[in-house]
């Protein structure tokens, strides 16, 4: 029998029916979780499969708590954009006033802050990084009339070092949870925590009661297909995506691949759109809405479209490339089949997948030397340093510097002062044992998904075992149990050839000119228009099928480039690019040793264009190997003043030829040297753009 203060299940049931429909019933353990949060003020770790209804639990709990005079719910999530539809549902179905504060909605901040401080907000959604923001602490947390009634930690596996996408700022949440008053309930939620992660989270955050359910969705039909060539995988998509039910998602590992795959599928008659983190928030929201409304056949996406996206009738997920571990794979296929009796998850995999996975494993943590360099640079400064000032003084990449600063800030070794960073008095040392253990675990996880692709056993049970689930029999419904749902090869060789041509046609890049020159003493100056090279081109992406693979093969061996690349370069310049006015002569970015294969390449391109080749430039100083220079500032200063004009400069437009390009500073410096010597317009051209995912 309920005491007067207890919320009866019937009241929560009424809210569930209001949210979902008159026939709605709680899934196993949902009422248990709501009861624990509302009536017993418990701290729960909800480990439940995607689509189970974790947001249903905490939104109904919020409504019940607010009706009893409790404060608003604070949701901390790394996926603000992808919780947008859940927030809209909470508002529409339960009449909850929900607000978010994040970097993409600054025009809404004042209203959100006022609502929270005045007690008119029911749900406030923020990123974990916002907790460290001094303005947020002072203007929101310190000014609230009442404390939060419920704390929700979304994607709680991020607290653990062993979670597949650990985020340093989640350590801040761990400290907040440890200091939170006992009467404030907590719902920490995740779909991707195995026993190791659960044990780590509950060790770091005491008194969490684990509410764990079955992790496998019975509607999913899983199959793996090994196709080494990405061109074969494009052909496979063309042959099979039209046969898949409803709408779906094609996952790729990189932004470039997303754009290229989307263009290919559109050419095959499918209506698809690319989706990745490089797009602005409004565009991504529009694309999510289009998929939700079945206005497109599919989105081709990076994992920017992942946790938090809820479409019950999503019929399929195809991975164009293999994810780095089974936990992320499970998470992504969990988008499909939530409200369907049958949905498909097909994993394509091939030759480059291990290279990409190993790159991200090795680059997950900066090296001890990187930490020492960043920390020492800040320590030596007389005033707080902006991030770009750290890069100017330290030879580290932007990504490495950001990771170092984030970790050092969370561990209180550096302090954020405005937009700059200064050293604190806290001693800090690199945790070799922890980082080596995590790296070793990442390689074990890579081995697991490699074994998964090659396995003849039940695929569903394989995933369930890795997640420490409860499935103890073969599922009877994956491809290894029930037989293949789709072919394991691309059947049309002409389609494979067309896919190679697609890579060759689509993987060229525009090389836009540099507009500003960084100064060693700080700041930057605009490059004069008469000195700047014009827009240029890179023929392909290094290593891509077709020309990219040919460039890589020939670059890595001694000797001249083959006629295939020379012919392709000339065809691109004359038929695809067609710069106006057209080049009247050709020169090369020279090596220090003098005549070499770049000069040979440029001379042969000139001969095919039927214009003179003039070896105008000479390299007069050595430069560092490209791999040794980690950021754009260092690469700029490394090439400063290294070229001189030795042969007469022609008046007309010139095609400036090099092998590979990344930051464009070598081509920029060579181009400015030509322009300073009164050349005509300079058109930079490189065989390939080097990318590192």
């Amino acid at each position: 029998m309920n005491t007067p203060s207890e919320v009866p299940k019937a009241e929560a049931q009424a809210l569930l029916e209001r949210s979902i429909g008159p026939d709605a019933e709680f899934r196993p353990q949902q009422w248990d979780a709501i009861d624990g949060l509302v009536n017993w003020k418990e701290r729960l770790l909800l480990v439940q499969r995607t689509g189970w209804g974790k947001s249903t639990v905490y939104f109904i709990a919020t409504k019940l708590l607010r009706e009893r005079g409790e404060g608003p719910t604070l949701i901390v999530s790394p996926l603000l954009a992808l919780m947008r539809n859940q927030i809209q549902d909470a508002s529409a179905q339960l009449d909850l006033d929900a607000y978010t504060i994040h970097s993409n909605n600054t025009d809404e901040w004042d209203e959100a802050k006022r609502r929270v401080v005045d007690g008119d907000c029911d749900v406030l959604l923020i990123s974990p990084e916002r907790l460290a923001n001094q303005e947020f602490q002072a203007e929101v947390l310190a000014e609230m009339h009442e404390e939060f009634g419920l704390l929700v930690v979304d994607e709680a596996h991020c607290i653990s070092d062993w979670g597949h996408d650990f985020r340093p700022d989640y350590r801040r949440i761990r400290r907040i949870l440890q200091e939170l008053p006992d009467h404030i309930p907590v719902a920490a939620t995740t779909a991707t925590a195995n026993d190791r992660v659960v044990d780590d989270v509950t060790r770091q955050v005491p008194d969490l009661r684990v509410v764990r359910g079955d992790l496998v969705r019975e509607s999913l039909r899983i199959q793996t297909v090994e196709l080494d060539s990405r061109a074969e995988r494009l052909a496979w998509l063309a042959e099979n995506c039209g046969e898949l039910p409803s709408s779906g998602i094609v996952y790729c590992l990189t932004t470039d691949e997303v754009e290229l795959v989307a263009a290919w599928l559109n050419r095959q008659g499918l209506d698809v759109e690319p989706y990745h983190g490089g797009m602005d928030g409004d565009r991504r929201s529009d694309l999510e809405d289009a998929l939700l409304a079945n206005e497109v056949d599919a989105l081709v996406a990076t994992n920017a479209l992942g946790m938090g996206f809820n479409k019950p009738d999503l019929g399929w997920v195809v991975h164009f490339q293999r994810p780095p571990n089974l936990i992320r794979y499970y998470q992504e296929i969990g988008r499909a089949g939530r409200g369907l009796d049958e949905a498909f998850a097909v994993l394509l995999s091939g030759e480059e997948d291990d290279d990409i996975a190993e790159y991200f494993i090795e680059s997950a943590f900066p090296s001890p030397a990187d930490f020492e360099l960043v920390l020492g640079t800040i320590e030596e400064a007389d005033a707080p340093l902006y991030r770009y000032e750290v890069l100017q003084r330290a030879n580290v990449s932007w990504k490495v510097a950001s990771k170092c600063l984030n970790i050092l800030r969370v561990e209180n070794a550096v302090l954020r002062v405005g937009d700059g960073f200064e050293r604190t008095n806290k001693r800090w040392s690199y945790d070799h044992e922890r980082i080596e253990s995590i790296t070793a675990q990442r390689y074990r996880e890579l081995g697991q998904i490699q074994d998964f692709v090659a396995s003849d056993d039940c695929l569903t049970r394989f995933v369930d075992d890795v997640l420490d689930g409860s499935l103890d029999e073969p599922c009877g419904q994956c491809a290894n149990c029930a037989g293949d749902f789709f072919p394991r090869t691309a059947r049309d060789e002409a389609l494979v050839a067309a896919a190679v041509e697609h890579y060759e046609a689509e993987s060229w890049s525009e090389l836009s000119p540099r507009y500003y020159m960084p100064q060693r003493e700080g700041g930057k100056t605009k490059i004069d228009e008469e000195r700047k090279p014009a827009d240029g081109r890179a023929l392909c992406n290094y290593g891509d099928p077709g020309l990219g693979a040919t460039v890589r093969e020939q670059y890595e061996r001694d000797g001249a480039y083959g006629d295939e690349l020379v012919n392709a370069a000339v065809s691109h310049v004359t038929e695809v690019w067609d710069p106006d006015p057209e080049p009247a002569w050709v020169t090369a970015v020279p090596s220090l040793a003098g005549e070499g294969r770049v000069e040979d390449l440029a001379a042969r391109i000139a001969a095919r264009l039927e214009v003179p080749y003039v070896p105008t430039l000479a390299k007069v100083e050595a430069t560092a190997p490209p791999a040794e220079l980690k950021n754009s500032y260092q690469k700029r200063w490394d090439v400063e003043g290294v070229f001189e004009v030795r042969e007469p400069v022609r008046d007309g437009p010139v095609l400036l030829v090099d092998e590979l390009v990344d930051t464009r500073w070598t081509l920029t410096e060579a181009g400015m040297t030509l322009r300073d010597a009164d050349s005509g317009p300079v058109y930079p051209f490189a065989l390939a753009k080097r990318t590192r995912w």
Side-chain angles (χ1 to χ4, degrees):
M1 183 166 181
N2 293 312
T3 65
S5 61
E6 283 186 351
V7 175
K9 182 177 180 180
E11 188 174 345
Q13 175 69 33
L15 291 175
L16 179 70
E17 293 173 8
R18 178 175 161 186
S19 299
I20 299 175
D23 298 326
E25 296 289 343
F26 282 118
R27 292 190 171 118
Q29 300 178 303
Q30 283 185 319
W31 164 246
D32 173 41
I34 294 169
D35 180 42
L37 294 170
V38 176
N39 289 327
W40 304 99
K41 300 294 192 284
E42 285 190 294
R43 299 185 174 194
L44 306 180
L45 175 59
L46 300 178
V47 184
Q48 302 285 351
R49 67 174 182 263
T50 55
W52 173 80
K54 295 181 284 291
S55 61
T56 297
V57 167
Y58 54 72
F59 283 137
I60 288 179
T62 295
K63 186 68 174 178
L64 293 169
L65 289 167
R66 290 293 281 165
E67 288 177 345
R68 283 152 181 78
E70 301 287 354
T73 290
L74 176 64
I75 302 176
V76 183
S77 173
L79 307 159
L80 304 187
L82 290 174
M83 291 190 71
R84 179 177 57 91
N85 58 327
Q86 295 178 6
I87 292 294
Q88 291 172 342
D89 290 345
S91 177
Q93 296 165 359
L94 293 174
D95 196 28
L96 291 173
D97 288 326
Y99 295 87
T100 61
I101 296 178
H102 56 83
S103 57
N104 291 326
N105 73 337
T106 53
D107 56 328
E108 301 172 16
W109 283 11
D110 289 342
E111 173 72 3
K113 290 175 183 177
R114 183 179 64 79
R115 292 280 188 170
V116 175
V117 169
D118 292 346
D120 297 328
C121 167
D122 296 316
V123 177
L124 177 64
L125 179 65
I126 64 170
S127 70
E129 290 77 13
R130 187 64 46 188
L131 291 171
N133 184 279
Q134 294 175 347
E135 180 182 345
F136 177 78
Q137 293 173 1
E139 296 183 6
V140 179
L141 298 183
E143 295 296 323
M144 289 177 63
H145 290 174
E146 54 188 342
E147 61 191 2
F148 287 104
L150 171 65
L151 175 63
V152 176
V153 180
D154 188 41
E155 311 306 334
H157 58 270
C158 296
I159 292 174
S160 172
D161 287 342
W162 312 109
H164 66 282
D165 55 354
F166 168 75
R167 289 168 66 128
D169 275 279
Y170 264 74
R171 292 187 188 175
R172 202 177 305 277
I173 297 175
R174 180 188 65 194
R175 291 198 290 268
I176 289 172
L177 287 169
Q178 291 171 339
E179 298 170 2
L180 201 67
D182 291 340
H183 64 272
I184 297 179
V186 174
T189 72
T190 180
T192 54
N194 57 17
D195 288 346
R196 184 187 185 104
V197 173
V198 168
D199 290 345
D200 192 28
V201 172
T202 54
R203 179 183 57 79
Q204 295 188 61
V205 185
D207 303 322
L208 284 178
R209 177 166 73 91
V210 180
V211 180
R212 187 168 192 165
D214 294 334
L215 299 178
V216 173
R217 182 173 297 122
E218 293 181 358
S219 62
L220 279 178
R221 309 290 185 260
I222 301 174
Q223 181 174 348
T224 63
V225 177
E226 293 185 78
L227 294 168
D228 269 352
S229 164
R230 279 179 281 167
E232 289 180 279
R233 278 176 261 165
L234 283 186
W236 189 98
L237 291 177
E239 291 174 346
N240 294 285
C241 280
E243 305 301 317
L244 290 162
S246 182
S247 53
I249 301 171
V250 179
Y251 277 113
C252 301
L253 292 179
T254 68
T255 297
D256 285 347
E257 211 73 50
V258 161
E259 296 284 353
L260 193 140
V261 171
W264 166 258
L265 289 177
N266 281 319
R267 288 184 179 180
Q268 306 310 309
L270 292 170
D271 183 7
V272 308
E273 293 285 351
Y275 181 108
H276 52 75
M279 297 174 168
D280 66 51
D282 289 341
R283 176 58 179 160
R284 296 198 323 191
S285 295
D286 290 344
L287 292 171
E288 293 162 28
D289 289 340
L291 184 58
L292 288 167
N294 292 319
E295 294 172 357
V296 293
D297 295 322
L299 294 183
V300 182
T302 62
N303 67 338
L305 180 66
M307 299 177 289
F309 181 77
N310 183 25
K311 177 177 168 58
D313 64 337
L314 192 80
W316 52 273
V317 168
V318 173
H319 282 84
F320 183 72
Q321 294 156 305
R322 192 195 65 218
N325 57 65
L326 273 170
I327 295 176
R328 175 168 153 185
Y329 170 71
Y330 162 79
Q331 185 183 81
E332 291 170 354
I333 65 174
R335 309 272 70 76
R338 294 184 174 195
L340 299 174
D341 293 333
E342 184 177 75
F344 296 94
V346 184
L347 172 57
L348 308 182
S349 62
E351 58 187 4
E352 81 286 352
D353 297 345
D354 284 344
D355 291 339
I356 297 175
E358 290 170 8
Y359 169 79
F360 282 114
I361 290 171
E362 292 298 328
S363 63
F365 292 99
S367 69
D370 290 330
F371 275 107
E372 291 172 8
L373 184 57
V374 169
L375 201 56
T377 299
I378 294 172
E379 201 164 33
E380 292 170 4
D382 296 328
L385 294 182
Y386 292 99
R387 198 172 311 236
Y388 77 88
E389 292 177 311
V390 174
L391 294 173
Q392 288 178 332
R393 304 179 189 200
N395 183 26
V396 294
S397 70
W398 179 272
K399 182 180 291 186
V400 165
S402 297
K403 288 182 177 181
C404 287
L405 291 170
N406 287 342
I407 292 172
L408 292 169
R409 180 174 54 84
V410 170
E411 296 182 356
N412 295 322
V414 300
L415 181 67
R416 187 79 174 259
V417 180
D419 287 332
F421 298 88
E422 68 178 14
R423 182 73 167 94
T424 67
N425 292 327
K426 182 179 178 180
R427 295 184 62 183
W428 185 89
S429 61
Y430 187 87
D431 192 340
H432 288 271
E433 182 178 355
R434 170 178 160 267
I435 291 173
E436 288 170 4
S437 296
I438 295 169
T439 300
Q441 175 64 15
R442 296 290 185 268
Y443 275 110
R444 285 192 291 272
E445 291 170 352
L446 175 58
Q448 286 173 338
I449 198 166
Q450 290 168 337
D451 292 343
F452 172 74
V453 169
S455 177
D456 295 325
D457 296 330
C458 173
L459 296 172
T460 307
R461 185 175 176 180
F462 196 114
V463 175
D464 191 70
D465 285 346
V466 169
L467 291 165
D468 296 312
S470 57
L471 187 65
D472 55 10
E473 296 289 341
C475 71
Q477 61 196 27
C478 71
N480 285 5
C481 290
D484 290 344
F485 310 116
F486 302 98
R488 291 183 176 269
T489 60
R491 292 161 290 182
D492 188 343
E493 288 299 323
L495 201 53
V496 176
V500 172
E501 293 175 359
H502 177 74
Y503 269 101
E504 293 182 350
E506 294 294 328
S507 65
W508 62 266
S509 302
E510 183 172 298
L511 304 177
S512 57
R514 288 283 185 175
Y515 284 87
Y516 295 97
M517 189 81 71
Q519 302 302 304
R520 292 181 185 272
E521 64 275 10
K524 57 186 178 182
T525 58
K526 191 172 183 179
I527 300 175
D528 294 337
E529 285 296 322
E530 61 271 15
R531 298 192 73 209
K532 277 195 314 190
D535 288 338
R537 292 291 178 90
L539 180 61
C540 60
N541 285 326
Y542 189 76
D544 272 0
L547 294 174
T550 303
V551 172
R552 179 174 61 188
E553 176 189 349
Q554 296 184 15
Y555 178 79
E556 292 176 355
R557 75 181 190 199
D558 292 331
Y561 287 105
D563 288 339
E564 177 188 359
L565 291 177
V566 174
N567 294 339
V570 172
S571 294
H572 186 88
V573 171
T574 58
E575 299 173 17
V576 180
W577 183 8
D578 192 23
D580 184 24
E582 64 185 22
W585 57 292
V586 176
T587 195
V589 174
S591 64
L592 193 62
E595 197 72 24
R597 66 179 178 182
V598 179
E599 292 87 346
D600 173 76
L601 173 68
R604 290 159 64 199
I605 289 173
R608 284 289 314 279
L609 291 173
E610 298 182 347
V611 297
Y613 167 68
V614 184
T616 298
L617 294 173
K619 188 173 184 180
V620 295
E621 293 183 25
T623 53
E628 293 182 6
L629 302 171
K630 305 301 184 181
N631 66 59
S632 182
Y633 296 104
Q634 308 302 323
K635 291 180 181 183
R636 162 67 198 129
W637 295 325
D638 185 60
V639 299
E640 189 172 16
V642 303
F643 299 116
E644 287 184 358
V645 171
R646 293 287 177 85
E647 297 285 340
V649 169
R650 304 292 179 97
D651 293 333
V654 54
L655 188 72
L656 175 62
V657 176
D658 203 353
E659 296 173 290
L660 305 182
V661 59
D662 52 12
T663 62
R664 294 165 286 147
W665 278 121
T666 297
L667 286 168
T668 298
E669 179 69 17
M672 290 191 302
T673 303
L674 291 170
R675 296 289 280 151
D676 289 344
D678 297 325
S679 77
V682 176
Y683 300 125
F685 178 82
L687 284 182
K689 179 181 177 182
R690 191 195 294 272
T691 59
R692 288 300 287 172
W693 303 300

